[in-house]
Amino acid sequence: MRTSRPDQPFRAVRHQSTSALALDSALEATAADEPYDDGTDHVRFPPLERLPNATKLPSPLPERALTSAKLAALHARLSLPQKLPLQTLARALVDISADENPLFNNVNLAFVGQTITHYHVAEWLMCRYPRLPMTIMYAAMKAYAGDETLHSVARSWGVESAAEPGGEVDSGLLQFSMYKPVSHIGFGYGRKDNSRVEQGRWRRGIANRVLFDDDFGEQIGYDTRKKAQIPTSSQRTFSYGTEETRAAAERAHAAAVRAVVGSVYAHCGREAGKAFIRAHILSRTIDVSTLFEFKSPVVELARLCQREDFEPPVARLLSETGRLSRTPVFVVGIFSGKDKLGEAVAGNLDHARYKAAMNSLKSWYLYSPGENVRVPSEMLVEGSKAWEPTYIDIGEIIHG
Amino acid sequence: MEAHLVRRPVASCCCRLLQSAASAAPASGSGMQQLISASKRLTITASPAAAPGGARFKSSTSRTKRALNVPPEPSFAKRQDKTTGIIFNPPSSSPSVFNTPFKFLPKSDPRRRANLPSLFTSSTTTKFGPTTGLAGPSSITIGNPPESDDPTLPPAVDPAADIARYRTEKLAVTPEMVAEIRRLRVEDPWTNSGVAMAQRFNVSHSFIRYATRGIRVQKEYYDDLKKWKEDKQARWGPRRRQAREDRARRLGMLFRGEL
C-alpha cells in the first residue's frame, strides 16, 4: 500500500466508465515513455508486478468497494442496514485532502451528517440540561460531536487509515493526506478577518458567537489550541507526528464519521439516522460538571438568589477538624433560609466557601428534568404522544 | 552549652523527650501518649544492659506488628458525650451536584409535588430582604448571618464581619450621596480611596466600586498606583513571591474545579 506518489496535480474533472479507459491508456503511455534506471540488476531482482492503472487516480473506483473485505467488515461491524450500499460507505472514507473532486469525496455527506448530528446533540442537551449557560453548551456540544471525539469514535469503529491516499488503496481504508492538506473546512459563518478579533478590535461576545462562527462557537479557520490562524497549505512544513498531522488526522476521521451519519440518514431515513447518533455519539459519557469555570461564584450565587426571590445565601460551617493543625478540613454549606443549596470540603475557610458556592451554582445550572427526557424530534414519529412543553429557563445569571 | 544542646541530632533529643514524657505521665492514656509509646517501642533504645550493641531493632514481623498496633484516635470511637463538638467521623461523602436541591426545582417539576414536606419547610417564597435599589451591592456577600439567626442551623462562617456590619445598618443611599462619592473620587483619589470612602459613607467597599465605575481620575494617579505596586513587589523576596504566585494559582485551580 505504501507508495510514494509522483507530485502531479489532481485533474479537475475525473471521468469514470468508458472515458476513464482512454485516460488510463494515456497515463500508461506517459509512464512507458520515461524509463527510469536506478542501477538495479533486473535479472536478479525482477521488476515488481505492474501497478494497476488505478494508481493514477486520487481515490479508488466506486466498484472496487464491492470487493473490499475491510469495507464489508466495517459495514457489518457497525450493523448498518442493507439499504446503505458499500459504495456510499467507501465514499464516506475519502477525505477532501485525498480527492478534491466533490463527486468522489465525502464533503457532501459530512455536511449532512454534521447538521443532523449537531441538531440531535443540541436538542438533547437543551432538554436534558435546560439551564446550561451558552459557553458550557458550546463546550458540551464539542465534547460530544467535536473533532477529537469523533476521531476516537472512528478509531473505536476500527477505521484504519492508508499511509497515503491513492486509487490503488483498499476502499475500506480511510484516505486522507497529511502532506497535501486542503484549507480547513468548517461549516458555519466565517468572519471576514480573524486577525481583528485577535487584536481585540472586534468584540466576540456570546451573542456574536451565536451569529457568526461554527456550532461550537469557534472561529472558522482559526486554531483555538494554538490561538493562531490556521496556515494555508503553502505555508506548512510537514513532518510526521506533529500537531498539524494530528489535527489533520482528527479532521479526516471526524469527517468520515459525519459522512457515515449522513449516508445513514440519506439512505435509511430520519429515524435510522437518529438511532445511529444515539447509539454512537449521544451514548458517550461526559461529566458536564467538569466544564464549568467561575470568576466570582459568591457574587453570582447571591445574584441568583436575588433574582429568584430566595433568602440571601449564608455560608455555614457544617463540620471541621484540625483547625490549628497543618492540614485542617472544613466542611462548609451554603444555606438559603433553612435550605441547603450546596456544600464543599476544603482546607481553608475561604476556599470551602467559594467551592460550596460553586457547587450550589452547578446544582442550579445542572438541573435536569430526568434522564430519559423527551425531545421535540420524537414528535416526528407517527402516533407519538401529545407534546408537553419542555422546561425552558429564563436565562443566565448576570452579575457585575 | 545550651546552644550546643539545642543543635543535637533529632533522634537522641527525641529519645530523651519521650522517655521523660512517659515517666512524667505514665497513665494519661491519650492518643498522643499511645503514639509516643508505640514509637518508643519501635525506636527507643532499651537499657544499655539489655542491648549492649546500641538500638534494638524490630527485625521480626511479630515485633513490628505489635509495635505498630496503635489503637484508633479517640474521636473515631463512638461518642459518649453528646454535649459539645462538631467532629463527625467518618465524614459523609460529598454530595453530587447533579442532585438538585429542592429550592432549585422549577415550579413545574413533578419532584416538587412529590416532596410535600419539603414544600412546607422550605422558604422559597420569602423575599430577598429589603431591596433599596442602589444599596443592593452591599448585600451580596455570603457570610452575613441574617439578623435573627436560626439556632437550629449550624454556625455561620463569618470571614466578612465588617461587611455584615454595613449591611445591618441598612443605610438608604441617595443619588446625592452617589454624586458626592464620584465627585470626591475625581477630586482627590489619593485621599478618597475605596476603603476610606466606605468608612466615611458607611457603605461597603464593593458599593464604592460600583458607584465610581466609569469615572476618569487624573492620569498621574494611575501612574503613582502602578509605581507604588511595583515598588512594593520589588521588595518581595523569592519565597514571598513564590507563595503569592502559588496562592493565585491555587485560587484559579479552585475556580476551574481542579481542587
Side-chain angles (χ1 to χ4, degrees):
Chain A
M1 278 319 152
R2 187 183 288 268
T3 57
S4 61
R5 305 186 66 217
D7 192 15
Q8 64 174 28
F10 295 136
R11 279 158 197 279
V13 180
R14 202 181 70 184
H15 304 282
Q16 299 291 318
S17 71
T18 51
S19 54
L21 297 175
L23 179 71
D24 286 347
S25 56
L27 286 170
E28 229 175 300
T30 53
D33 290 345
E34 297 165 8
Y36 174 67
D37 185 20
D38 58 352
T40 312
D41 181 4
H42 287 292
V43 178
R44 195 174 170 199
F45 303 105
L48 295 173
E49 198 181 323
R50 216 182 148 67
L51 285 170
N53 290 335
T55 314
K56 283 93 186 180
L57 300 174
S59 63
L61 293 169
E63 55 260 32
R64 286 191 54 212
L66 298 173
T67 57
S68 167
K70 281 181 187 294
L71 201 62
L74 180 65
H75 194 282
R77 215 181 299 134
L78 295 182
S79 304
L80 294 173
Q82 291 299 313
K83 280 186 201 167
L84 178 64
L86 284 170
Q87 288 93 332
T88 312
L89 188 59
R91 186 174 160 187
L93 296 179
V94 179
D95 189 57
I96 189 174
S97 60
D99 193 343
E100 285 177 337
N101 189 337
L103 292 172
F104 294 94
N105 65 24
N106 64 7
V107 169
N108 301 343
L109 287 172
F111 178 66
V112 175
Q114 164 164 318
T115 314
I116 306 286
T117 310
H118 288 186
Y119 168 68
H120 284 297
V121 172
E123 168 194 69
W124 182 78
L125 276 174
M126 195 196 74
C127 294
R128 176 80 198 268
Y129 300 112
R131 285 178 183 157
L132 280 191
M134 200 59 203
T135 44
I136 310 295
M137 185 80 171
Y138 277 142
M141 283 278 290
K142 195 171 181 196
Y144 273 109
D147 282 357
E148 290 94 333
T149 310
L150 296 188
H151 174 245
S152 62
V153 168
R155 297 300 298 269
S156 74
W157 286 352
V159 172
E160 296 170 2
S161 56
E164 185 68 20
E168 78 285 2
V169 172
D170 191 312
S171 300
L173 293 171
L174 173 64
Q175 306 196 45
F176 67 98
S177 175
M178 289 183 286
Y179 304 99
K180 202 178 284 176
V182 291
S183 56
H184 177 67
I185 295 195
F187 302 124
Y189 195 164
R191 282 157 201 273
K192 218 172 184 181
D193 192 357
N194 281 327
S195 61
R196 292 283 179 133
V197 181
E198 272 172 62
Q199 293 159 3
R201 289 198 195 170
W202 287 353
R203 191 169 169 274
R204 192 167 153 268
I206 287 296
N208 196 268
R209 261 180 247 189
V210 173
L211 189 64
F212 293 100
D213 302 342
D214 65 4
D215 289 349
F216 309 132
E218 289 180 350
Q219 285 167 265
I220 288 173
Y222 186 82
D223 192 346
T224 44
R225 277 175 291 197
K226 299 179 84 176
K227 293 197 184 305
Q229 205 86 13
I230 290 176
T232 57
S233 54
S234 59
Q235 295 168 336
R236 300 187 204 206
T237 51
F238 270 98
S239 60
Y240 192 75
T242 59
E243 277 181 38
E244 283 84 5
T245 54
R246 168 88 190 171
E250 274 176 4
R251 277 201 295 273
H253 280 80
V257 172
R258 290 179 186 129
V260 170
V261 172
S263 49
V264 169
Y265 177 80
H267 283 282
C268 314
R270 191 183 58 221
E271 288 309 311
K274 185 179 171 185
F276 192 80
I277 290 166
R278 286 235 159 184
H280 292 280
I281 293 170
L282 284 179
S283 62
R284 298 172 68 86
T285 305
I286 172 211
D287 189 359
V288 187
S289 69
T290 57
L291 301 176
F292 285 84
E293 182 183 1
F294 294 94
K295 282 210 171 67
S296 43
V298 169
V299 178
E300 197 172 334
L301 181 63
R303 281 279 173 238
L304 169 72
C305 289
Q306 197 173 22
R307 189 186 82 177
E308 299 292 320
D309 273 353
F310 299 152
E311 293 103 328
V314 177
R316 295 180 185 278
L317 188 59
L318 301 181
S319 164
E320 69 166 87
T321 181
R323 185 184 274 259
L324 299 179
S325 74
R326 187 180 169 279
T327 49
V329 175
F330 298 101
V331 184
V332 166
I334 303 276
F335 285 74
S336 169
K338 285 181 182 173
D339 303 308
K340 191 169 78 176
L341 304 180
E343 72 171 62
V345 187
N348 173 322
L349 270 176
D350 270 343
H351 280 200
R353 200 162 54 98
Y354 296 150
K355 218 168 148 186
M358 279 164 56
N359 285 345
S360 311
L361 282 169
K362 279 185 190 176
S363 60
W364 167 267
Y365 284 130
L366 292 173
Y367 159 73
S368 173
E371 294 229 335
N372 301 315
V373 59
R374 289 188 84 195
V375 290
S377 66
E378 285 175 24
M379 295 307 291
L380 297 171
V381 184
E382 291 283 331
S384 53
K385 275 198 301 179
W387 177 251
E388 282 179 34
T390 56
Y391 174 73
I392 304 286
D393 191 56
I394 62 168
E396 294 173 29
I397 304 161
I398 297 169
H399 65 281
Chain B
M1 191 61 193
E2 283 301 312
H4 184 69
L5 268 180
V6 170
R7 285 202 209 105
R8 272 184 164 187
V10 178
S12 57
C13 281
C14 223
C15 284
R16 196 166 275 204
L17 261 177
L18 294 180
Q19 274 170 339
S20 64
S23 60
S28 69
S30 70
M32 192 59 186
Q33 185 63 38
Q34 285 152 1
L35 269 180
I36 286 167
S37 57
S39 61
K40 188 181 165 196
R41 273 184 283 165
L42 254 186
T43 59
I44 285 176
T45 59
S47 67
R56 183 186 174 193
F57 296 105
K58 301 297 177 193
S59 307
S60 71
T61 313
S62 60
R63 281 180 196 164
T64 313
K65 268 166 67 181
R66 206 180 313 134
L68 290 173
N69 187 14
V70 182
E73 220 277 330
S75 70
F76 276 88
K78 202 164 189 179
R79 291 188 75 84
Q80 298 302 323
D81 55 330
K82 302 272 182 189
T83 51
T84 54
I86 49 172
I87 298 172
F88 303 102
N89 265 323
S92 64
S93 58
S94 53
S96 164
V97 291
F98 289 97
N99 294 336
T100 313
F102 182 80
K103 206 160 203 173
F104 284 170
L105 291 174
K107 299 274 186 293
S108 60
D109 197 279
R111 278 168 282 184
R112 188 169 267 279
R113 288 192 297 279
N115 192 0
L116 278 177
S118 290
L119 189 62
F120 291 121
T121 55
S122 170
S123 42
T124 316
T125 50
T126 315
K127 295 292 283 184
F128 184 90
T131 47
T132 52
L134 281 170
S138 62
S139 62
I140 57 169
T141 306
I142 291 181
N144 312 343
E147 292 81 41
S148 58
D149 205 6
D150 193 338
T152 60
L153 291 172
V157 180
D158 201 3
D162 50 342
I163 300 175
R165 181 166 51 79
Y166 298 137
R167 188 174 161 263
T168 48
E169 290 179 4
K170 284 198 200 69
L171 193 76
V173 181
T174 57
E176 292 79 34
M177 203 166 127
V178 175
E180 177 71 2
I181 288 170
R182 290 171 75 87
R183 188 185 66 76
L184 285 171
R185 181 75 182 157
V186 174
E187 203 175 86
D188 187 2
W190 288 275
T191 313
N192 300 314
S193 68
V195 176
M197 286 206 289
Q199 282 178 353
R200 180 169 166 183
F201 290 94
N202 208 3
V203 289
S204 70
H205 187 190
S206 54
F207 175 71
I208 300 289
R209 265 211 315 276
Y210 281 101
T212 56
R213 184 175 283 180
I215 62 171
R216 301 284 301 172
V217 300
Q218 54 265 57
K219 193 175 172 300
E220 299 88 61
Y221 173 68
Y222 295 114
D223 295 341
D224 280 6
L225 207 63
K226 197 178 164 198
K227 189 171 177 304
W228 173 77
K229 198 176 169 188
E230 282 170 0
D231 286 353
K232 197 172 71 170
Q233 292 187 352
R235 287 196 298 274
W236 292 349
R239 290 174 67 180
R240 174 175 292 210
R241 191 180 299 279
Q242 179 77 36
R244 282 179 168 264
E245 282 170 6
D246 286 353
R247 206 175 299 149
R249 203 174 300 136
R250 274 201 297 275
L251 197 63
M253 286 174 76
L254 184 84
F255 285 158
R256 283 193 298 276
E258 291 166 3
L259 278 184

